[in-house]
Amino acid sequence: MTFDSNAWLAEARALIGEAHVLTEDRGDDLTAYVRDWRGKYHGRALAVLRPGSTEEVQAIVRLAARTGVALVPQGGNTGLCGASVPDPEGRQAVLQLGRLNRVREIDPENNTATVEAGCILQSLQEHAMAVGRLFPLSLGAEGSCQLGGNIATNAGGIQVLRYGNMRELVLGLEVVLPDGELLDLLRGLRKDNTGYDLKQLFIGSEGTLGIITAATVKLFPAPSAEVVAFAGMESLTQAVHLLGAMRRHLGERFTAFELISGPATALVRQYFPDTPRFLERDWSWYVLMKAADGGSHEALQDAMQAALMACLEEGHLVDVVLASNLAQSQTFWMQRENITHAQQMDGGNIKHDVALPISRIPEFVDRVLLLLQQVFPDSRPIAYGHLGDGNLHFNISAPPGVSATAWQGQTDAVNQLIHNVVAAMRGSISAEHGIGQLKRHELALYKTPTELDVMRRVKQALDPQGLMNPGKVIA
Ligand code: FAD
Ligand code: 2HG
Ligand code: ZN
């Protein structure tokens, strides 16, 4: 049977409203929905559908299942693996969740919030703060990424060290299954041993198993004090020792330990020339450290100072500055958060988002730098990341004079070089960004046949028609 796109679109419009079915034919600009954040993938869409309720999502999913139309769920479209955009064929529909953005309930006593998938992360953080609670997921794209996207990618960010990643922050989920059935797992329980933990299947599934429409997430008491310090050092081993020492001294109050390499700092200064210099001299590596608690600012500042003094005495620290106020802490953070933007402005770079045992990170970096020296001697490694979680963004910028396109052409070779070392050290080729289409082929190289087989069986069981985000994660 031939597919009648006009009839399909008319049915979709009847289900969710004329205004919420966007198409190029009627003059809508779909660019922002079919192109990924990095501009690496450019697709085409049959339509962009913007349902406004869980029932409308169900209706669209039923229509798609009946007619064999593939759906590409999309949140803020800030993902870095090309997972939220359609392929170039123009037959897939983007299911944009932005209108499902209500905070359904905040229960301060239970320390939970039940929120719809399209809620912007920053908005959720603000709602929690308004009742004296913290929703701790925090990342550079928080002003535009959505809770559903954060869950579907199992996002990490800068406070995983203390609060865990998205997988640890979700207590309950509401999911529309690929046949349109509603799977209601919206419970705010910290203990529930009634069989398989189904919600975990959907967390990190990148839209390939169903559409997340709402979640119940954990909240925490909002800290009343936060302090941030910035340190420089010559070796990565020193940074790893410093991490252990600071955790020992500050315990639960220690919430972030972020790594920035010298070249990453230089790149930020090049593209954001107003970035202040925080330390008098340049170092090979820098770390940003944050502590937070529910006491007074002065007491926490004293505790941080005492911890830093102890680290200086123990030989784990050589050069450090403590932010004297909130404005200065923010400038410290900008140095870290602007790295992605500086690399984007700089042009071609090949991203790596790897996880390793923290203790082996210095060895990993030494091994990879040596190999790069041999094979791509002029390439520019821009290393940084969440050292406290053993997660490095080891992005390799193009050699001087090499165009972005030419450098992208080396992606497979560069990936193989780096990811083979990751595999040899029993690390992961995706710590927090996911697989999407960017690493789908590599997944097949680095997972065992049994892991891949179980993943395919789960996919087949839930999405036998293969209509949920095809071409992403698993072939
Ligand atoms: P999208 O990009 O829209 O989608 C991502 C995936 O989720 C896709 O597979 C999509 O199909 C699926 N999806 C979206 N919504 C749903 C839904 N409701 N149901 C089912 N599937 C859905 N990531 C980190 O982990 N840590 C960081 O520190 C970090 N920093 C970043 C900084 C910058 C500047 C940028 C641009 C990105 C950063 N990211 C980071 C990556 C990105 O922000 C995260 O992956 C984020 O969780 C994606 O959310 P989103 O709403 O934009 O999802
Ligand atoms: C970060 O930690 C993000 O800043 C983005 O995960 C990393 O751009 C990147 O490679
Ligand atoms: Zn990151």
Side-chain angles (χ1 to χ4, degrees), residues 166-359:
M166 206 59 221
R167 212 175 269 295
E168 282 122 318
L169 297 174
V170 175
L171 293 176
L173 270 194
E174 180 184 88
V175 181
V176 174
L177 296 173
D179 61 3
E181 281 296 301
L182 190 70
L183 180 64
D184 181 355
L185 308 167
L186 267 189
R187 296 183 193 94
L189 306 177
R190 284 169 176 79
K191 298 185 98 172
D192 179 9
N193 263 353
T194 49
Y196 305 139
D197 189 353
L198 295 179
K199 67 177 181 296
Q200 291 297 347
L201 270 183
F202 299 92
I203 303 172
S205 67
E206 299 180 59
T208 60
L209 299 179
I211 314 291
I212 297 162
T213 48
T216 299
V217 294
K218 285 185 195 169
L219 302 179
F220 297 82
S224 45
E226 276 185 12
V227 294
V228 181
F230 186 82
M233 60 220 47
E234 234 9 84
S235 90
L236 200 43
T237 304
Q238 274 179 302
V240 171
H241 290 160
L242 177 64
L243 168 66
M246 288 299 283
R247 288 189 90 165
R248 211 169 51 243
H249 292 303
L250 288 172
E252 288 286 279
R253 289 175 291 185
F254 201 43
T255 59
F257 191 84
E258 294 288 311
L259 179 77
I260 311 173
S261 63
T265 306
L267 201 70
V268 170
R269 286 208 198 110
Q270 183 183 340
Y271 288 95
F272 297 88
D274 293 342
T275 310
R277 218 169 241 283
F278 307 120
L279 299 170
E280 272 174 25
R281 54 155 287 190
D282 289 339
W283 293 95
S284 298
W285 297 96
Y286 302 91
V287 295
L288 247 177
M289 299 173 275
K290 181 165 121 177
D293 73 8
S296 75
H297 179 79
E298 291 68 30
L300 186 64
Q301 185 102 354
D302 288 350
M304 180 69 129
Q305 217 143 24
L308 295 174
M309 283 305 294
C311 287
L312 282 163
E313 278 159 24
E314 290 160 5
H316 299 309
L317 200 52
V318 277
D319 195 5
V320 64
V321 54
L322 192 56
S324 50
N325 53 40
L326 189 65
Q328 199 181 18
S329 313
Q330 278 162 354
T331 54
F332 285 7
W333 280 112
M334 290 322 287
Q335 163 77 76
R336 165 68 180 85
E337 301 212 324
N338 279 334
I339 304 173
T340 297
H341 301 287
Q343 271 208 295
Q344 187 79 0
M345 292 162 160
D346 192 55
N349 71 84
I350 302 172
K351 283 190 186 294
H352 302 94
D353 166 36
V354 306
L356 291 144
I358 298 170
S359 50

Side-chain angles (χ1 to χ4, degrees), residues 80 138-140 156-158 258 336 340 353 384-386 389 391-393 431-433:
L80 299 171
S138 178
L139 46 96
I158 57 173
E258 294 288 311
R336 165 68 180 85
T340 297
D353 166 36
Y384 60 104
H386 316 284
D389 317 324
N391 175 191
L392 274 194
H393 298 305
E432 61 172 6
H433 295 161

